[in-house]
Amino acid sequence: MYGIVVVSHSKKITDGIVELINEMTHNSVKTISAGGTEDGRLGTSATFIMEQINSCVDCNRILIFCDMGSSILSSETALELLEPEVRKKCIMVDGPIVEGAFVAAVQSMVTDELDEILREVKNI
Amino acid sequence: MYGIVVVSHSKKITDGIVELINEMTHNSVKTISAGGTEDGRLGTSATFIMEQINSCVDCNRILIFCDMGSSILSSETALELLEPEVRKKCIMVDGPIVEGAFVAAVQSMVTDELDEILREVKNI
């Protein structure tokens, strides 16, 4: 099972992505909002992202989508903070946050093959 | 002056993009949320998008960013509903909604040249 974690400066953006994916996949893909700071302001937090990634620990693979700038840097720091057995499940995906997370979620319902999912994201 | 209109099924996503751009550009780029239905549910509405585009009528150019599916179709319909003098200001931009709108907003503070702005979006 795949987990998807979305990271932006804006909690609204990542909450919206989760809402959209849940609607389109009928809640069948675990998608987690890790945007904004712990208290919902604009910004990013490596510890908050780490905690959100840890909530996907039951997934075999965890795909992380970031928009830009410190979303990416904080996610990289979050990866370093994770326990190694969680970290090795994580893949930072190079793709647009909204379109990429959506396509990955839909594709993960069709196949378990990581390469196929990443190929679909690449083709956006 | 450029206006930016963002269109998604999710109002949260487009409100978040506006919030992010306003913060990063100190409210100096007119950015309009046209996500969701008129009453904020998941979906898109051509008439709502049209109205939101019309609120940028004071801009010389209006850049429209959509995420996928019916966001694009409804935006195309919205363009057809516009008065010709507004429609000719509009450009549907081929780029990721969050990253593209953000880069376009920032770049529009640096240059008035449409080609330069679109080139930066293409380079994301």
Side-chain angles (χ1 to χ4, degrees), chain A residues 9-10 20 68 96-97 99 102, chain B residues 9 16 20 68 96-97 99 102:
Chain A
H9 284 73
S10 163
L20 190 63
M68 52 211 161
I97 187 167
E99 300 86 345
F102 180 79
Chain B
H9 283 73
L20 191 64
M68 53 211 159
I97 187 167
E99 299 86 346
F102 180 79

Side-chain angles (χ1 to χ4, degrees), chain A residues 11-21 33, chain B residues 8 10-13 42:
Chain A
K11 175 176 156 57
K12 281 185 191 163
I13 291 176
T14 55
D15 283 356
I17 296 170
V18 170
E19 181 185 52
L20 190 63
I21 290 176
S33 170
Chain B
S8 166
S10 163
K11 175 175 156 60
K12 281 184 191 164
I13 291 177
L42 282 174

Side-chain angles (χ1 to χ4, degrees), chain A residues 2-4 21-22 25-31 104-106 108-109:
Chain A
Y2 281 84
I4 292 177
I21 290 176
N22 283 344
T25 67
H26 304 288
N27 298 301
S28 61
V29 180
K30 186 164 193 164
T31 312
V106 170
S108 77
M109 295 171 70

Side-chain angles (χ1 to χ4, degrees), chain B residues 36-106:
Chain B
T37 60
E38 274 96 342
D39 55 355
R41 286 174 296 114
L42 282 174
T44 58
S45 159
T47 53
F48 177 58
I49 298 165
M50 178 200 68
E51 288 162 10
Q52 299 303 82
I53 293 172
N54 271 329
S55 73
C56 293
V57 72
D58 55 325
C59 298
N60 302 322
R61 295 270 199 183
I62 303 166
L63 306 181
I64 301 165
F65 288 87
C66 309
D67 52 2
M68 53 211 159
S70 70
S71 302
I72 301 167
L73 299 175
S74 294
S75 297
E76 288 170 348
T77 305
L79 289 180
E80 291 169 20
L81 297 172
L82 289 167
E83 294 296 323
E85 65 266 33
V86 183
R87 189 190 308 134
K88 71 183 181 195
K89 295 180 174 191
C90 294
I91 300 117
M92 297 263 291
V93 183
D94 181 18
I97 187 167
V98 175
E99 299 86 346
F102 180 79
V103 165
V106 170

Side-chain angles (χ1 to χ4, degrees), chain A residues 65 92-96 99-101 103-104 107 114-124, chain B residues 124:
Chain A
F65 289 86
M92 296 264 291
V93 183
D94 181 17
E99 300 86 345
V103 165
Q107 197 62 19
L114 178 63
D115 286 351
E116 288 182 35
I117 295 170
L118 296 181
R119 198 181 311 127
E120 286 302 311
V121 172
K122 204 83 188 170
N123 286 341
I124 291 170
Chain B
I124 291 170

